[in-house]
Amino acid sequence: ATGGVVNIITRRPTEERLTSVTEVGVGSGLTNTDGALSFNAQHTSSARIGNFDLTGTVSLARSGAFYDTRGDRIPFFELGGDSSTLFNIMGKVGVDLGSEQRLQLTVNHYRETQDPNAIQDFSIDDQEGRQKARAIRTGDLDIAGKTPGNRTTLLNLSYTNPNLFGSSLQSQIYYRTNSNVSVPSDFRSSDFFGPFIGIGGSRAENEQIGGRLAIVTPLSRAENLRLTWGSDYVTEDSRQRFDLYDPDRFDASGGRVYRKTSSRSFVPPYNYNSLGLFSQLEWNIDDIVILSGGIRHERIGLEVNDYTTFNDRQIQGGNRNFNATLFNTGAVYKINDNFNVFGNFSQGFSVPDFGRILREPPDNFVGIESSLEVTQPQKVNNYEIGIRGGWPSVQMSLAAFYNTSDLGASFQLAADTDRLKLIRAPERIYGLEGTVDWQPGPTWSLGGTATYIQGEYDDNGSTLALDSSRIPPLKLTAYVQNETLEGWNNRLQLLYSGNRDRAFKDGSDGSPISSYLTLDYISSVKIGSGQLQVKVENLLNNQYFPVISQYFSGFGSDSSNYAARGLTLSVNYRLNW
C-alpha cells in the first residue's frame, strides 16, 4: 500500500459470438519422481449475445511431492507447496445499457486443499551446526477437523458510464471472504509456541465489504487537463484460532494421526475499516510535459474487544481512530519521441499488521487505546526519479527511489525466545532499478534487470540495517530468446540473488544471506491452432536455499531451512478454438 499501486485486469469478454481456450499440462521433478507428478487443466469460454456477454473459466491443478537437487523431499512450508489440489471457477456477466453504460457482475471461487504424506522433522533444531530441513514420511495424514487449505470467494458488481454529464464514471462494490487452515505441526520444541500449543494448527477467517467510486472530469475542451476524484471504503473482520491435538495419539501414530482436543484464540476478532477521499489533477502540456498532483484524506478505524492471548496475557480492548491527509506530485518530460525523464513525490498511509500485534503484543502492550505507538499507522514519503527510453531495437529504464518514515513498522525474530518483536522507529529504504531489452535481429532478443535495495532504521542514535525478510539482496536477471524456426521460440533466463551480510553484522539477521543462481529453459512451438510449451526449471540443478529460508534458519530454526526444488520439467499445451 505504501510502496506503489498494483492494477489487476481480469480476462475481458469477447467481441465474437463464442471463443474458447483450453489448456492442459503435466510436470514433475526429475531428481526424484516418487509421487512427483503434477498436472493442470483450464478451460475458458467467452460469448456475446446482443447486449449481453459472458465469460467463464474453470481450472484444476494438482501438485505432487517436491524434491531438492539431491532427491530429498522438501517439507511443506506453506500452502501452495507439494501435495496440493487447486480448483478455481470464475464467471463474469456483463450487459451494455444502451451505447455507453455498462453493468458487470463477477463471481470467483478459489479452493486449495493440501493432503501431504510427510511432516517436518523438528528434531534437527536440536542438532549442532546448520542443517537442511528434512521431511519424515508418514503416509497420508489423518486430521480430524477441517481440511488444510485456503478458500476465497469474491463477488464484485461494477458500473461504468463514460459520459455522465461530461465526466467518466467507474464504480464498484465487492464482498470477499477467505478462510485459511494450516497443516498442523508439532510445536513442543518451540520456546514460544510449545508451552501453550503443543501440537496444533491455525484456522484464520477474514471477511471484507468495500466499494470504490472514481470520476474523471475534463477541465479543458482538448481534454488535456483532467481531474480524477472520488472515494473508497472497506470494512474488514478478521480472526484466527488454533486447533489443539492429542499428543499421545500423534506420537503413537508416528506423526500421522491428529485428534482435536480443544481450540483457543490466536488472533482475537477485530474490525478494521478505512475511508479514503481523493482527487488527482493531470495536465498534458502539448504532449511534451505531463504534470500531476493530488491529495488524499484517509480515515482508519480499529475495534477490538477485551481478550486473552494464547500465552494467557490479559489485553484491554477498545477503539482507535486515525486520519491523515496525503499529497503527491509528479512530472514527466518528453525529450523526444524515444526518451523521457520523470520524477515524483508521493505519500502513503498504512497500518501495521494488526494480526501480528494482537496475537503477540510487546511486553509493554496493555491495551488497544493505551499502547498508542504500537498501533499507530505508518506514514511514508516516497521520492523517485528516473529515465525511460524506447527505440526500434532497444528499450531501457533506470529509476532511483528513496522512502522515509518517522514511525516504521518492522517485525524481527528474537534469537533467544523465537518470538517476533515489533520495532517502531524511523526508517528509510532506498535503491536503484534498471531494465534493458535489445533486439539485435528479427529473430533475437535479450535483456535483463538489476535491482539494488538497502534499508535501515534508527536505534537510539545508531543506524541499523533492516532484516532480510524486508530487504532482499542484489537481484539480477537476464534472458536470451531466439525464434529458431518460424513459430518455434527458445529462451534461456537467469536469476542471480546476491550475498547480504549487513543485517547480520547489525544484529537484524541471525546469519548472513548467501548468493545463488538459477537458470531456466523455455521452448514454445505452434502446433495447429495451439501452442506447445516445454519448460525446464533449475536447468543446472543447483542446490540453493531461498532468501526467506536462510533468514529463518539464521535464528536456529533449521526446520525452516528448506532447499529449493531441483531440476523440474513441465509440458503444457494451449489451444484456441
Side-chain angles (χ1 to χ4, degrees), residues 4-10 12:
V5 174
V6 177
N7 186 34
I8 299 174
I9 301 173
T10 59
R12 298 182 184 277

Side-chain angles (χ1 to χ4, degrees), residues 473-546:
L474 170 70
K475 177 184 174 183
L476 303 174
T477 71
Y479 75 92
V480 57
Q481 183 167 316
N482 172 248
E483 188 178 11
T484 310
L485 296 173
E486 185 176 357
W488 181 28
N489 285 281
N490 291 281
R491 175 186 176 102
L492 283 172
Q493 58 188 32
L494 176 145
L495 165 67
Y496 171 78
S497 178
N499 297 301
R500 186 171 190 256
D501 62 0
R502 183 186 172 195
F504 169 66
K505 293 178 179 178
D506 287 350
S508 301
D509 284 357
S511 66
I513 304 298
S514 299
S515 64
Y516 53 84
L517 181 144
T518 66
L519 185 67
D520 301 328
Y521 167 70
I522 304 172
S523 179
S524 60
V525 58
K526 290 184 178 180
I527 299 179
S529 57
Q531 186 176 65
L532 177 70
Q533 183 187 81
V534 178
K535 184 175 184 179
V536 183
E537 297 178 78
N538 199 356
L539 183 64
L540 303 179
N541 202 33
N542 284 342
Q543 177 85 321
Y544 69 95
F545 296 82

Side-chain angles (χ1 to χ4, degrees), residues 292-313:
S292 64
I295 184 172
R296 175 180 175 88
H297 180 74
E298 187 154 1
R299 292 183 173 272
I300 293 176
L302 170 67
E303 182 179 351
V304 186
N305 293 326
D306 295 346
Y307 71 97
T308 303
T309 68
F310 67 94
N311 53 359
D312 293 327
R313 290 178 55 195

Side-chain angles (χ1 to χ4, degrees), residues 36-102:
L37 184 66
S38 62
F39 72 87
N40 67 84
Q42 177 173 296
H43 178 80
T44 299
S45 289
S46 185
R48 175 172 287 276
I49 305 171
N51 290 339
F52 288 87
D53 53 71
L54 303 94
T55 302
T57 296
V58 60
S59 63
L60 178 68
R62 170 70 183 179
S63 62
F66 289 176
Y67 295 95
D68 65 15
T69 61
R70 297 170 186 171
D72 295 330
R73 181 76 174 265
I74 302 172
F76 58 86
F77 189 68
E78 57 188 7
L79 285 170
D82 68 1
S83 305
S84 294
T85 301
L86 287 78
F87 173 77
N88 189 79
I89 184 168
M90 187 273 288
K92 183 184 295 185
V93 180
V95 56
D96 296 327
L97 306 174
S99 59
E100 294 183 329
Q101 303 177 67
R102 177 174 173 81

Side-chain angles (χ1 to χ4, degrees), residues 40 55 96 110 133 184 195 210 230 235 248 271 299 302 306 310 316 338 344 363 368 385 391 393 397 405 517 541 553:
N40 67 84
T55 302
D96 296 327
Y110 171 86
T235 178
D248 295 331
N271 174 266
R299 292 183 173 272
L302 170 67
D306 295 346
F310 67 94
Q316 185 178 8
N338 307 110
N344 66 72
D363 293 337
I368 302 302
I385 58 172
W391 296 270
S393 61
S397 68
S405 173
L517 181 144
N541 202 33
S553 65

Side-chain angles (χ1 to χ4, degrees), residues 359-436:
R359 82 184 187 202
E360 186 187 343
D363 293 337
N364 60 348
F365 189 99
V366 295
I368 302 302
E369 297 182 3
S370 57
S371 302
L372 175 65
E373 186 180 78
V374 175
T375 53
Q376 188 77 6
Q378 179 181 15
K379 189 174 182 178
V380 178
N381 297 317
N382 309 299
Y383 307 84
E384 185 180 17
I385 58 172
I387 58 175
R388 285 189 294 253
W391 296 270
S393 61
V394 177
Q395 303 82 42
M396 57 79 64
S397 68
L398 179 64
F401 61 89
Y402 183 77
N403 301 340
T404 65
S405 173
D406 291 334
L407 191 62
S410 178
F411 291 91
Q412 290 193 3
L413 194 63
D416 55 342
T417 63
D418 285 345
R419 294 181 61 177
L420 287 169
K421 60 179 181 179
L422 175 67
I423 298 175
R424 303 305 307 268
E427 63 182 35
R428 50 203 160 270
I429 299 175
Y430 51 91
L432 295 167
E433 183 171 71
T435 70
V436 62

